[in-house]
Amino acid sequence: MLDPTKLEHFRNLIALSAADGQVLESERVALAKIAFELGLPLDRLNVMIGKASEYIYLVPQNQKERTKQMKEMIDLAMVDEDFAKAERDLIITVGKKLGFSQEELEGMLT
């Protein structure tokens, strides 16, 4: 069975990938690679992507996880080489909720 914390984290990545209104093929590939590493079946991934707009971002509970999650969110947002405003806005919103300063976020995003 998949670790619930990792599943929440993965849902957050899906929410980020759909923040610009679509999940591009390059983002799907990145999500599929992560899903495979987590042991998440492809059919479940497809269902999750189909429901991406319904997911509410879930905040990680510790410093290590929040930093890791921000890095993975930024990496996923950049995978399609088109860092959409919606993706950037979501990262900044999430980053602030996680306790990152505006300066820290700008440093991560440049």
Side-chain angles (χ1 to χ4, degrees):
M1 178 157 183
L2 190 60
D3 178 340
T5 302
K6 289 182 180 181
L7 185 58
E8 287 176 10
H9 184 191
F10 190 65
R11 279 191 196 121
N12 291 343
L13 293 175
I14 291 174
L16 173 64
S17 69
D20 59 359
Q22 61 183 338
V23 179
L24 299 176
E25 186 60 29
S26 56
E27 292 169 322
R28 284 181 182 270
V29 169
L31 289 169
K33 288 178 184 176
I34 296 167
F36 177 78
E37 291 172 7
L38 294 174
L40 189 71
L42 184 59
D43 58 340
R44 186 163 180 195
L45 169 63
N46 290 331
V47 169
M48 292 174 77
I49 289 174
K51 295 183 177 203
S53 63
E54 299 173 21
Y55 292 141
I56 297 171
Y57 188 85
L58 301 168
V59 179
Q61 299 300 309
N62 63 55
Q63 178 69 27
K64 182 180 175 185
E65 282 300 311
R66 83 178 181 119
T67 302
K68 178 182 175 186
Q69 195 164 111
M70 283 303 297
K71 181 184 178 329
E72 288 184 5
M73 289 179 73
I74 292 166
D75 289 348
L76 183 62
M78 303 285 264
V79 78
D80 61 2
E81 298 178 11
D82 181 24
F83 199 27
K85 182 182 181 326
E87 291 170 327
R88 182 180 174 83
D89 291 348
L90 178 60
I91 288 171
I92 289 171
T93 299
V94 168
K96 287 180 179 177
K97 288 181 181 179
L98 293 176
F100 291 101
S101 70
Q102 184 69 31
E103 291 156 348
E104 288 173 311
L105 291 169
E106 291 300 328
M108 289 180 207
L109 295 171
T110 56

